[in-house]
Amino acid sequence: VIDIDGRVVALNAGASQAAASSFFLPLDRIARALRLLQQDQPVPRGHLGAVFTYRAYDELRRLGLREATEAATRRAFPDGTGMLVVSEVVPGTPADGRLEVGDILVSVAGQAVSEFVPLEALLDARVGAEAPVAIERNGVPLVVAVPVQDLEAVSPAEYLQFGDAVVHDLSLQQARHFNRPPRGVYVANPGFVLASAGIPRGALLVGVDGAPVAGIGDLEATLD
């Protein structure tokens, strides 16, 4: 999306006739990806396996945010109205056992964070390493070391087709819906071979013939 002065101001991410909310912005991370692509470099994307939401200060106080932390954050981000809070933790991801729902994010690698874009930038720069994450949990300050995983490692990049069925590795987003670790094979289309066995579209295959299935590689080996 380009304005009248020729500046790129948003990315058209979808379409809806009933709403005008089909734009992706801000473009900070898009600009970073473009620079890396222009340099013929990969575009690492970091994640912890946790979902963060933005909460206002009055809600954060009910979660136990300390007065000193709120004051320091307000000084660092005078235009801000709140901070990030863990709303989900995907089982089997780096955040599992380290972060909990309701944890208030204070800083990452010593850098204060209160919004999504700076958090994404910090994680993208630390793929494959551990990041010290400072949180407040029920009013208690904690620092936990969380490995930063490459999002590409848990994003399906291929599919397997057999008997008119189409399957692929379980993605991180689908793992959130299933509330289970991002392992297994997702049934995108059951075809006649899986449908005849009563396995519907959207099912998750975790084992075949008594053998565990972590991805389509295991399934393909079992079928062979």
Short mmCIF file of all heavy atoms in Angstrom, two decimals, residues 28-62:
data_model
loop_
_atom_site.label_atom_id
_atom_site.label_comp_id
_atom_site.label_asym_id
_atom_site.label_seq_id
_atom_site.Cartn_x
_atom_site.Cartn_y
_atom_site.Cartn_z
N ASP A 28 8.12 -2.52 10.27
CA ASP A 28 9.50 -2.64 10.74
C ASP A 28 10.11 -3.99 10.37
O ASP A 28 11.23 -4.07 9.84
CB ASP A 28 9.56 -2.47 12.26
CG ASP A 28 8.94 -1.17 12.72
OD1 ASP A 28 7.72 -1.02 12.55
OD2 ASP A 28 9.68 -0.32 13.25
N ARG A 29 9.40 -5.07 10.64
CA ARG A 29 9.96 -6.39 10.39
C ARG A 29 9.95 -6.72 8.90
O ARG A 29 10.79 -7.47 8.40
CB ARG A 29 9.19 -7.47 11.16
CG ARG A 29 8.97 -7.16 12.62
CD ARG A 29 10.23 -6.66 13.31
NE ARG A 29 11.30 -7.65 13.35
CZ ARG A 29 12.59 -7.33 13.37
NH1 ARG A 29 12.98 -6.07 13.33
NH2 ARG A 29 13.50 -8.28 13.40
N ILE A 30 9.01 -6.14 8.16
CA ILE A 30 8.99 -6.31 6.71
C ILE A 30 10.21 -5.65 6.09
O ILE A 30 10.87 -6.20 5.20
CB ILE A 30 7.70 -5.73 6.10
CG1 ILE A 30 6.46 -6.40 6.70
CG2 ILE A 30 7.71 -5.86 4.59
CD1 ILE A 30 6.36 -7.88 6.43
N ALA A 31 10.55 -4.45 6.56
CA ALA A 31 11.73 -3.73 6.05
C ALA A 31 13.00 -4.53 6.34
O ALA A 31 13.91 -4.60 5.50
CB ALA A 31 11.80 -2.34 6.66
N ARG A 32 13.07 -5.13 7.53
CA ARG A 32 14.24 -5.95 7.87
C ARG A 32 14.34 -7.15 6.92
O ARG A 32 15.43 -7.45 6.41
CB ARG A 32 14.11 -6.44 9.31
CG ARG A 32 15.05 -7.61 9.64
CD ARG A 32 14.72 -8.20 11.00
NE ARG A 32 15.51 -9.38 11.27
CZ ARG A 32 15.08 -10.62 11.05
NH1 ARG A 32 13.89 -10.82 10.51
NH2 ARG A 32 15.85 -11.65 11.35
N ALA A 33 13.24 -7.83 6.69
CA ALA A 33 13.25 -8.99 5.79
C ALA A 33 13.68 -8.58 4.38
O ALA A 33 14.45 -9.29 3.73
CB ALA A 33 11.87 -9.64 5.76
N LEU A 34 13.21 -7.43 3.93
CA LEU A 34 13.57 -6.97 2.59
C LEU A 34 15.06 -6.70 2.49
O LEU A 34 15.71 -7.08 1.51
CB LEU A 34 12.78 -5.70 2.25
CG LEU A 34 13.09 -5.05 0.90
CD1 LEU A 34 12.83 -6.02 -0.24
CD2 LEU A 34 12.28 -3.77 0.72
N ARG A 35 15.64 -6.07 3.52
CA ARG A 35 17.08 -5.80 3.51
C ARG A 35 17.89 -7.09 3.44
O ARG A 35 18.87 -7.19 2.70
CB ARG A 35 17.47 -4.98 4.75
CG ARG A 35 17.01 -3.54 4.73
CD ARG A 35 17.71 -2.73 5.81
NE ARG A 35 17.42 -3.25 7.14
CZ ARG A 35 16.40 -2.82 7.89
NH1 ARG A 35 15.57 -1.90 7.41
NH2 ARG A 35 16.20 -3.31 9.10
N LEU A 36 17.49 -8.10 4.21
CA LEU A 36 18.21 -9.37 4.21
C LEU A 36 18.08 -10.08 2.86
O LEU A 36 19.04 -10.66 2.35
CB LEU A 36 17.69 -10.26 5.33
CG LEU A 36 18.03 -9.80 6.75
CD1 LEU A 36 17.31 -10.66 7.79
CD2 LEU A 36 19.53 -9.85 6.98
N LEU A 37 16.90 -10.03 2.27
CA LEU A 37 16.70 -10.65 0.96
C LEU A 37 17.53 -9.95 -0.11
O LEU A 37 18.09 -10.61 -1.00
CB LEU A 37 15.22 -10.62 0.60
CG LEU A 37 14.30 -11.52 1.42
CD1 LEU A 37 12.84 -11.28 1.05
CD2 LEU A 37 14.65 -13.00 1.23
N GLN A 38 17.62 -8.63 -0.02
CA GLN A 38 18.44 -7.89 -0.98
C GLN A 38 19.91 -8.24 -0.86
O GLN A 38 20.67 -8.14 -1.83
CB GLN A 38 18.23 -6.38 -0.78
CG GLN A 38 16.85 -5.89 -1.22
CD GLN A 38 16.60 -4.45 -0.81
OE1 GLN A 38 17.18 -3.95 0.17
NE2 GLN A 38 15.74 -3.77 -1.55
N GLN A 39 20.32 -8.68 0.33
CA GLN A 39 21.71 -9.08 0.56
C GLN A 39 21.91 -10.59 0.37
O GLN A 39 22.97 -11.12 0.66
CB GLN A 39 22.14 -8.69 1.98
CG GLN A 39 22.11 -7.19 2.22
CD GLN A 39 22.22 -6.84 3.69
OE1 GLN A 39 22.52 -7.69 4.53
NE2 GLN A 39 21.98 -5.57 4.02
N ASP A 40 20.87 -11.26 -0.14
CA ASP A 40 20.90 -12.70 -0.38
C ASP A 40 21.20 -13.47 0.90
O ASP A 40 21.95 -14.44 0.90
CB ASP A 40 21.92 -13.04 -1.46
CG ASP A 40 21.68 -14.44 -2.05
OD1 ASP A 40 20.54 -14.91 -1.99
OD2 ASP A 40 22.65 -15.05 -2.55
N GLN A 41 20.59 -13.04 2.00
CA GLN A 41 20.77 -13.69 3.29
C GLN A 41 19.45 -14.28 3.77
O GLN A 41 18.38 -13.82 3.38
CB GLN A 41 21.29 -12.67 4.32
CG GLN A 41 22.66 -12.11 4.02
CD GLN A 41 23.13 -11.16 5.10
OE1 GLN A 41 22.53 -11.07 6.17
NE2 GLN A 41 24.21 -10.44 4.83
N PRO A 42 19.52 -15.31 4.62
CA PRO A 42 18.28 -15.87 5.18
C PRO A 42 17.61 -14.87 6.12
O PRO A 42 18.24 -13.92 6.59
CB PRO A 42 18.76 -17.11 5.94
CG PRO A 42 20.19 -16.83 6.26
CD PRO A 42 20.72 -16.01 5.10
N VAL A 43 16.34 -15.11 6.40
CA VAL A 43 15.57 -14.22 7.27
C VAL A 43 15.17 -15.01 8.52
O VAL A 43 14.12 -15.64 8.55
CB VAL A 43 14.32 -13.67 6.56
CG1 VAL A 43 13.59 -12.68 7.45
CG2 VAL A 43 14.70 -13.03 5.24
N PRO A 44 16.02 -15.01 9.55
CA PRO A 44 15.68 -15.75 10.77
C PRO A 44 14.55 -15.08 11.53
O PRO A 44 14.49 -13.85 11.63
CB PRO A 44 16.98 -15.73 11.57
CG PRO A 44 17.69 -14.50 11.11
CD PRO A 44 17.34 -14.34 9.66
N ARG A 45 13.67 -15.90 12.06
CA ARG A 45 12.55 -15.39 12.86
C ARG A 45 12.53 -16.18 14.17
O ARG A 45 12.39 -17.40 14.16
CB ARG A 45 11.22 -15.55 12.12
CG ARG A 45 11.12 -14.69 10.86
CD ARG A 45 9.75 -14.81 10.24
NE ARG A 45 9.47 -16.16 9.80
CZ ARG A 45 8.25 -16.64 9.54
NH1 ARG A 45 7.20 -15.88 9.74
NH2 ARG A 45 8.08 -17.88 9.11
N GLY A 46 12.69 -15.49 15.27
CA GLY A 46 12.77 -16.16 16.56
C GLY A 46 11.43 -16.24 17.26
O GLY A 46 10.57 -15.38 17.10
N HIS A 47 11.27 -17.29 18.05
CA HIS A 47 10.07 -17.41 18.88
C HIS A 47 10.42 -18.20 20.13
O HIS A 47 11.40 -18.95 20.18
CB HIS A 47 8.93 -18.08 18.11
CG HIS A 47 9.00 -19.58 18.11
ND1 HIS A 47 8.29 -20.35 18.99
CD2 HIS A 47 9.73 -20.44 17.37
CE1 HIS A 47 8.57 -21.63 18.78
NE2 HIS A 47 9.42 -21.71 17.79
N LEU A 48 9.60 -18.02 21.15
CA LEU A 48 9.78 -18.71 22.43
C LEU A 48 8.76 -19.81 22.64
O LEU A 48 8.93 -20.64 23.53
CB LEU A 48 9.70 -17.71 23.59
CG LEU A 48 10.65 -16.51 23.55
CD1 LEU A 48 10.37 -15.60 24.73
CD2 LEU A 48 12.10 -16.98 23.56
N GLY A 49 7.70 -19.80 21.83
CA GLY A 49 6.61 -20.74 22.06
C GLY A 49 5.56 -20.18 23.00
O GLY A 49 4.69 -20.91 23.48
N ALA A 50 5.63 -18.87 23.25
CA ALA A 50 4.64 -18.20 24.10
C ALA A 50 3.92 -17.13 23.28
O ALA A 50 4.49 -16.54 22.36
CB ALA A 50 5.31 -17.56 25.31
N VAL A 51 2.66 -16.90 23.62
CA VAL A 51 1.86 -15.86 22.99
C VAL A 51 1.71 -14.71 23.98
O VAL A 51 1.34 -14.93 25.15
CB VAL A 51 0.48 -16.40 22.58
CG1 VAL A 51 -0.36 -15.28 21.95
CG2 VAL A 51 0.62 -17.57 21.62
N PHE A 52 2.02 -13.51 23.52
CA PHE A 52 1.93 -12.33 24.39
C PHE A 52 0.75 -11.46 23.96
O PHE A 52 0.43 -11.36 22.78
CB PHE A 52 3.22 -11.50 24.31
CG PHE A 52 4.43 -12.19 24.87
CD1 PHE A 52 5.20 -13.02 24.08
CD2 PHE A 52 4.79 -12.00 26.20
CE1 PHE A 52 6.33 -13.65 24.59
CE2 PHE A 52 5.90 -12.63 26.72
CZ PHE A 52 6.68 -13.46 25.92
N THR A 53 0.13 -10.83 24.93
CA THR A 53 -0.92 -9.85 24.67
C THR A 53 -0.56 -8.55 25.39
O THR A 53 0.18 -8.56 26.38
CB THR A 53 -2.29 -10.34 25.14
OG1 THR A 53 -2.21 -10.69 26.53
CG2 THR A 53 -2.73 -11.55 24.34
N TYR A 54 -1.10 -7.45 24.88
CA TYR A 54 -0.84 -6.13 25.47
C TYR A 54 -1.93 -5.84 26.49
O TYR A 54 -3.13 -5.94 26.18
CB TYR A 54 -0.82 -5.07 24.38
CG TYR A 54 -0.29 -3.73 24.83
CD1 TYR A 54 1.08 -3.49 24.89
CD2 TYR A 54 -1.16 -2.70 25.18
CE1 TYR A 54 1.58 -2.26 25.29
CE2 TYR A 54 -0.68 -1.46 25.57
CZ TYR A 54 0.69 -1.25 25.63
OH TYR A 54 1.19 -0.03 26.04
N ARG A 55 -1.53 -5.50 27.70
CA ARG A 55 -2.49 -5.21 28.76
C ARG A 55 -2.21 -3.84 29.37
O ARG A 55 -1.05 -3.43 29.53
CB ARG A 55 -2.41 -6.27 29.86
CG ARG A 55 -2.90 -7.65 29.41
CD ARG A 55 -4.42 -7.64 29.28
NE ARG A 55 -4.95 -8.94 28.89
CZ ARG A 55 -5.25 -9.29 27.64
NH1 ARG A 55 -5.05 -8.41 26.67
NH2 ARG A 55 -5.72 -10.48 27.38
N ALA A 56 -3.27 -3.13 29.71
CA ALA A 56 -3.14 -1.80 30.31
C ALA A 56 -2.63 -1.92 31.75
O ALA A 56 -2.73 -2.97 32.39
CB ALA A 56 -4.49 -1.08 30.28
N TYR A 57 -2.09 -0.81 32.25
CA TYR A 57 -1.48 -0.82 33.58
C TYR A 57 -2.46 -1.22 34.68
O TYR A 57 -2.07 -1.90 35.65
CB TYR A 57 -0.87 0.55 33.88
CG TYR A 57 0.43 0.81 33.17
CD1 TYR A 57 0.54 1.84 32.24
CD2 TYR A 57 1.56 0.02 33.41
CE1 TYR A 57 1.74 2.09 31.58
CE2 TYR A 57 2.75 0.25 32.75
CZ TYR A 57 2.84 1.29 31.83
OH TYR A 57 4.02 1.51 31.18
N ASP A 58 -3.71 -0.80 34.57
CA ASP A 58 -4.65 -1.16 35.64
C ASP A 58 -4.86 -2.67 35.70
O ASP A 58 -5.01 -3.25 36.79
CB ASP A 58 -5.98 -0.42 35.47
CG ASP A 58 -6.63 -0.69 34.12
OD1 ASP A 58 -5.94 -1.21 33.23
OD2 ASP A 58 -7.83 -0.40 33.97
N GLU A 59 -4.86 -3.35 34.54
CA GLU A 59 -4.95 -4.80 34.54
C GLU A 59 -3.68 -5.43 35.07
O GLU A 59 -3.72 -6.46 35.78
CB GLU A 59 -5.22 -5.32 33.13
CG GLU A 59 -6.53 -4.85 32.52
CD GLU A 59 -6.72 -5.42 31.12
OE1 GLU A 59 -6.83 -6.64 31.00
OE2 GLU A 59 -6.73 -4.62 30.16
N LEU A 60 -2.53 -4.83 34.75
CA LEU A 60 -1.25 -5.37 35.20
C LEU A 60 -1.13 -5.30 36.72
O LEU A 60 -0.53 -6.21 37.33
CB LEU A 60 -0.11 -4.60 34.54
CG LEU A 60 -0.03 -4.69 33.01
CD1 LEU A 60 1.05 -3.78 32.48
CD2 LEU A 60 0.24 -6.13 32.58
N ARG A 61 -1.68 -4.28 37.32
CA ARG A 61 -1.62 -4.18 38.78
C ARG A 61 -2.36 -5.34 39.43
O ARG A 61 -1.95 -5.87 40.46
CB ARG A 61 -2.20 -2.85 39.25
CG ARG A 61 -1.41 -1.64 38.77
CD ARG A 61 -1.93 -0.35 39.38
NE ARG A 61 -1.49 0.79 38.60
CZ ARG A 61 -2.26 1.49 37.79
NH1 ARG A 61 -3.55 1.20 37.68
NH2 ARG A 61 -1.77 2.52 37.10
N ARG A 62 -3.47 -5.75 38.81
CA ARG A 62 -4.20 -6.89 39.35
C ARG A 62 -3.41 -8.18 39.20
O ARG A 62 -3.65 -9.16 39.92
CB ARG A 62 -5.56 -7.01 38.67
CG ARG A 62 -6.53 -5.88 39.03
CD ARG A 62 -7.94 -6.20 38.61
NE ARG A 62 -8.11 -6.12 37.17
CZ ARG A 62 -8.47 -5.01 36.52
NH1 ARG A 62 -8.66 -3.88 37.20
NH2 ARG A 62 -8.63 -5.01 35.21
#
